[in-house]
Amino acid sequence: MSAPTAATRDAVYRRDERRCAACGVMVLTFQHRRAVGMGGSKNVPSPVDGLSLCAVCNAGCEGDMQAKALRFGWKVRRWVTHPERVPVFYPLEMSWFRLEGITRVRISRALAMEMGCSVYGAEWLLWHEAIA
């Protein structure tokens, strides 16, 4: 994916209340939820492709936090064509959300499980088994 437009980046930061979705720090980077990969893509990311993360959490999503990032929807698998179908967990609010462009809609844990399973199937269940 190419870089987000300035308007998309700002909309994502506003949607996420200008703080890291993972830890709450207020110095942000734009996290691509879907892997950009070598050479990028010609597709300009939309707000549901992005998340506000600090530099430490952003780097962690690509490294030692990758399993947690997938479990909480901060990252989505490259093959996911509709990232808006993957719910996002915001730990500071202890809540799951569905991303609708520049809006987040609080959802129940049950709905988050249903959404995650519809995308990932048994893999989603395995990710969440340990924290149930």
Side-chain angles (χ1 to χ4, degrees):
M1 273 178 218
S2 64
T5 65
T8 296
R9 185 182 305 271
D10 189 56
V12 167
Y13 291 166
R14 278 185 280 125
R15 179 195 68 208
D16 295 339
E17 299 177 353
R18 299 197 182 280
R19 64 180 182 197
C20 176
C23 73
V25 168
M26 297 182 85
V27 179
L28 303 174
T29 64
F30 184 91
Q31 164 66 19
H32 290 88
R33 292 179 69 208
R34 286 188 283 183
V36 176
M38 297 298 288
S41 164
K42 294 178 183 176
N43 298 327
V44 176
S46 70
V48 297
D49 286 313
L51 199 65
S52 302
L53 292 180
C54 69
V56 172
C57 291
N58 197 332
C61 283
E62 306 302 330
D64 63 342
M65 283 178 33
Q66 193 167 55
K68 183 177 183 178
L70 286 166
R71 183 173 65 229
F72 289 156
W74 305 334
K75 292 287 291 180
V76 297
R77 296 271 192 222
R78 182 183 306 267
W79 53 262
V80 173
T81 56
H82 296 283
E84 67 276 8
R85 294 182 181 166
V86 178
V88 178
F89 185 72
Y90 288 76
L92 294 176
E93 298 173 61
M94 295 301 294
S95 295
W96 286 95
F97 290 84
R98 180 179 70 234
L99 301 182
E100 294 182 358
I102 61 171
T103 304
R104 0 179 245 159
V105 177
R106 189 181 304 262
I107 60 174
S108 68
R109 184 178 187 282
L111 181 55
M113 290 300 288
E114 184 179 314
M115 289 174 67
C117 285
S118 74
V119 174
Y120 292 114
E123 185 175 29
W124 182 268
L125 292 173
L126 288 173
W127 292 339
H128 292 271
E129 192 173 78
I131 60 171

Coordinates of all heavy atoms in Angstrom, one line a residue, residues 25-67:
V25 N -0.2 6.3 24.5 CA 0.7 7.3 24.3 C 0.2 8.3 23.2 O -0.5 7.9 22.3 CB 2.1 6.8 23.9 CG1 3.0 7.8 23.3 CG2 2.7 6.1 25.0
M26 N 0.5 9.6 23.3 CA -0.1 10.5 22.4 C 0.9 11.0 21.3 O 0.6 12.0 20.7 CB -0.7 11.7 23.2 CG -1.8 11.2 24.1 SD -2.6 12.5 25.1 CE -3.8 13.1 23.9
V27 N 2.0 10.3 21.1 CA 2.9 10.6 20.0 C 2.7 9.5 19.0 O 3.0 8.3 19.3 CB 4.3 10.6 20.5 CG1 5.3 10.9 19.3 CG2 4.5 11.7 21.5
L28 N 2.1 9.8 17.8 CA 1.5 8.7 17.0 C 2.2 8.5 15.7 O 2.9 9.4 15.1 CB 0.1 9.1 16.7 CG -0.8 9.3 17.9 CD1 -2.2 9.7 17.4 CD2 -0.9 8.0 18.7
T29 N 2.1 7.3 15.2 CA 2.4 6.9 13.8 C 1.2 6.2 13.2 O 0.3 5.8 13.9 CB 3.6 5.9 13.8 OG1 3.2 4.7 14.4 CG2 4.9 6.5 14.5
F30 N 1.2 6.2 11.9 CA 0.1 5.5 11.2 C 0.4 4.0 11.1 O 1.4 3.7 10.4 CB -0.2 6.2 9.9 CG -1.3 5.6 9.1 CD1 -2.6 6.2 9.2 CD2 -1.2 4.5 8.2 CE1 -3.7 5.7 8.5 CE2 -2.3 4.1 7.5 CZ -3.5 4.7 7.7
Q31 N -0.3 3.1 11.7 CA -0.1 1.7 11.5 C -0.9 1.2 10.4 O -2.2 1.3 10.4 CB -0.5 1.0 12.8 CG -0.7 -0.5 12.7 CD 0.6 -1.3 12.4 OE1 1.7 -0.7 12.6 NE2 0.5 -2.4 12.0
H32 N -0.3 0.6 9.4 CA -1.1 -0.1 8.4 C -1.5 -1.4 8.9 O -0.7 -2.3 9.3 CB -0.2 -0.4 7.1 CG 0.2 0.8 6.4 ND1 1.3 1.5 6.7 CD2 -0.4 1.4 5.3 CE1 1.4 2.5 5.8 NE2 0.4 2.5 5.0
R33 N -2.8 -1.6 9.0 CA -3.4 -2.9 9.6 C -3.0 -4.1 8.7 O -2.7 -5.2 9.1 CB -4.9 -2.8 9.8 CG -5.2 -1.8 10.9 CD -6.7 -1.7 11.1 NE -7.2 -3.0 11.7 CZ -8.5 -3.4 11.5 NH1 -9.3 -2.7 10.7 NH2 -8.9 -4.5 12.0
R34 N -3.1 -3.9 7.3 CA -2.6 -4.9 6.4 C -1.2 -4.7 6.1 O -0.8 -3.5 5.9 CB -3.5 -4.9 5.1 CG -4.9 -5.4 5.3 CD -5.6 -5.6 4.0 NE -6.0 -4.3 3.6 CZ -6.8 -4.1 2.5 NH1 -7.1 -5.1 1.7 NH2 -7.2 -2.9 2.1
A35 N -0.4 -5.7 6.0 CA 1.0 -5.6 5.7 C 1.2 -4.9 4.3 O 0.5 -5.2 3.4 CB 1.6 -7.0 5.6
V36 N 2.1 -4.0 4.4 CA 2.5 -3.2 3.2 C 3.3 -4.0 2.2 O 3.1 -4.1 1.0 CB 3.2 -1.9 3.5 CG1 3.6 -1.1 2.3 CG2 2.3 -1.0 4.4
G37 N 4.3 -4.8 2.8 CA 5.2 -5.6 2.0 C 6.2 -4.9 1.3 O 6.2 -3.7 1.2
M38 N 7.1 -5.6 0.7 CA 8.2 -5.0 -0.1 C 7.7 -4.4 -1.3 O 6.9 -4.9 -2.1 CB 9.2 -6.1 -0.5 CG 9.9 -6.8 0.7 SD 10.8 -5.7 1.8 CE 12.2 -5.4 0.7
G39 N 8.0 -3.1 -1.5 CA 7.6 -2.4 -2.7 C 6.3 -1.7 -2.6 O 5.9 -0.9 -3.4
G40 N 5.5 -2.1 -1.5 CA 4.2 -1.4 -1.3 C 3.2 -1.8 -2.4 O 3.3 -2.8 -3.0
S41 N 2.2 -1.0 -2.4 CA 1.0 -1.3 -3.3 C 0.6 0.1 -3.9 O 0.9 1.1 -3.3 CB -0.1 -1.9 -2.5 OG -1.3 -1.9 -3.2
K42 N -0.2 0.0 -5.0 CA -0.7 1.2 -5.6 C -2.0 1.7 -4.9 O -2.4 2.8 -5.1 CB -1.0 1.0 -7.1 CG 0.3 0.8 -7.8 CD 0.0 0.5 -9.3 CE 1.4 0.2 -10.0 NZ 1.2 -0.1 -11.4
N43 N -2.5 0.9 -4.0 CA -3.8 1.2 -3.3 C -3.5 2.2 -2.2 O -2.6 1.9 -1.3 CB -4.4 0.0 -2.7 CG -4.8 -1.0 -3.8 OD1 -5.2 -0.6 -4.9 ND2 -4.7 -2.3 -3.5
V44 N -4.2 3.3 -2.2 CA -4.1 4.3 -1.1 C -4.9 3.8 0.1 O -6.1 3.4 -0.1 CB -4.5 5.7 -1.5 CG1 -4.5 6.7 -0.4 CG2 -3.7 6.2 -2.7
P45 N -4.3 3.6 1.3 CA -5.1 3.1 2.4 C -6.2 4.0 2.8 O -6.1 5.2 2.8 CB -4.1 3.0 3.5 CG -2.9 3.8 3.1 CD -3.0 4.0 1.6
S46 N -7.3 3.3 3.2 CA -8.5 4.0 3.7 C -8.4 4.0 5.2 O -7.6 3.4 5.8 CB -9.8 3.3 3.3 OG -9.9 2.0 3.9
P47 N -9.3 4.8 5.9 CA -9.2 4.8 7.4 C -9.3 3.4 8.0 O -8.7 3.2 9.1 CB -10.4 5.7 7.8 CG -10.5 6.6 6.6 CD -10.2 5.8 5.4
V48 N -10.1 2.5 7.5 CA -10.2 1.1 8.1 C -8.9 0.3 7.9 O -8.7 -0.7 8.6 CB -11.4 0.3 7.6 CG1 -12.7 1.0 8.0 CG2 -11.3 0.0 6.2
D49 N -8.0 0.8 7.0 CA -6.7 0.1 6.8 C -5.7 0.6 7.8 O -4.6 0.1 7.9 CB -6.1 0.4 5.4 CG -6.8 -0.4 4.3 OD1 -7.0 -1.6 4.5 OD2 -7.2 0.2 3.3
G50 N -6.0 1.7 8.6 CA -5.1 2.3 9.5 C -5.5 2.3 10.9 O -6.7 2.2 11.2
L51 N -4.5 2.5 11.8 CA -4.7 2.6 13.2 C -3.7 3.5 13.8 O -2.6 3.6 13.3 CB -4.6 1.2 13.8 CG -5.2 1.0 15.2 CD1 -6.8 1.1 15.1 CD2 -4.9 -0.4 15.7
S52 N -4.0 4.2 14.8 CA -3.1 5.1 15.5 C -2.3 4.3 16.5 O -2.9 3.7 17.4 CB -3.8 6.2 16.2 OG -4.6 7.0 15.4
L53 N -1.0 4.2 16.3 CA -0.1 3.6 17.3 C 1.1 4.4 17.5 O 1.6 5.2 16.6 CB 0.3 2.2 16.8 CG -0.7 1.1 16.7 CD1 -0.1 -0.2 16.2 CD2 -1.4 0.8 18.0
C54 N 1.7 4.3 18.7 CA 3.0 5.0 18.9 C 4.1 4.2 18.2 O 3.9 3.1 17.7 CB 3.3 5.1 20.4 SG 3.7 3.5 21.2
A55 N 5.3 4.8 18.1 CA 6.4 4.1 17.3 C 6.7 2.8 18.0 O 7.0 1.8 17.2 CB 7.6 5.1 17.3
V56 N 6.7 2.7 19.3 CA 7.1 1.4 20.0 C 6.1 0.3 19.6 O 6.5 -0.8 19.3 CB 7.3 1.7 21.5 CG1 7.5 0.3 22.2 CG2 8.4 2.6 21.8
C57 N 4.8 0.6 19.8 CA 3.8 -0.4 19.5 C 3.7 -0.7 18.0 O 3.5 -1.9 17.6 CB 2.4 0.1 20.0 SG 2.3 0.1 21.8
N58 N 3.9 0.3 17.2 CA 4.0 0.1 15.7 C 5.1 -0.9 15.4 O 4.8 -1.9 14.7 CB 4.1 1.4 15.0 CG 3.8 1.3 13.5 OD1 3.8 0.2 12.9 ND2 3.4 2.4 12.9
A59 N 6.3 -0.7 15.9 CA 7.4 -1.6 15.7 C 7.1 -3.0 16.3 O 7.4 -4.0 15.7 CB 8.7 -1.1 16.3
G60 N 6.4 -3.0 17.4 CA 6.1 -4.3 18.1 C 5.1 -5.1 17.2 O 5.2 -6.3 17.2
C61 N 4.2 -4.4 16.5 CA 3.2 -5.1 15.7 C 3.9 -5.9 14.6 O 3.4 -6.9 14.0 CB 2.2 -4.2 15.1 SG 1.0 -3.6 16.3
E62 N 5.1 -5.4 14.2 CA 5.9 -6.1 13.2 C 6.9 -7.1 13.8 O 7.6 -7.8 13.1 CB 6.6 -5.1 12.3 CG 5.8 -4.0 11.7 CD 4.7 -4.5 10.8 OE1 4.8 -5.6 10.2 OE2 3.6 -3.9 10.8
G63 N 7.0 -7.1 15.1 CA 8.0 -7.9 15.8 C 7.4 -8.8 16.9 O 6.5 -9.6 16.6
D64 N 7.8 -8.5 18.1 CA 7.4 -9.4 19.2 C 6.0 -9.3 19.7 O 5.5 -10.1 20.4 CB 8.4 -9.1 20.4 CG 8.3 -7.7 21.0 OD1 7.8 -6.8 20.3 OD2 8.7 -7.4 22.1
M65 N 5.2 -8.3 19.2 CA 3.8 -8.1 19.5 C 2.9 -8.6 18.4 O 1.7 -8.4 18.5 CB 3.5 -6.6 19.8 CG 3.9 -6.1 21.1 SD 3.5 -4.4 21.4 CE 2.0 -4.0 20.6
Q66 N 3.4 -9.3 17.4 CA 2.6 -9.6 16.2 C 1.4 -10.5 16.5 O 0.3 -10.2 16.1 CB 3.5 -10.2 15.1 CG 2.8 -10.3 13.8 CD 3.7 -10.6 12.7 OE1 4.4 -11.6 12.7 NE2 3.7 -9.8 11.7
A67 N 1.6 -11.5 17.4 CA 0.5 -12.4 17.7 C -0.6 -11.6 18.5 O -1.8 -11.7 18.2 CB 1.0 -13.5 18.6

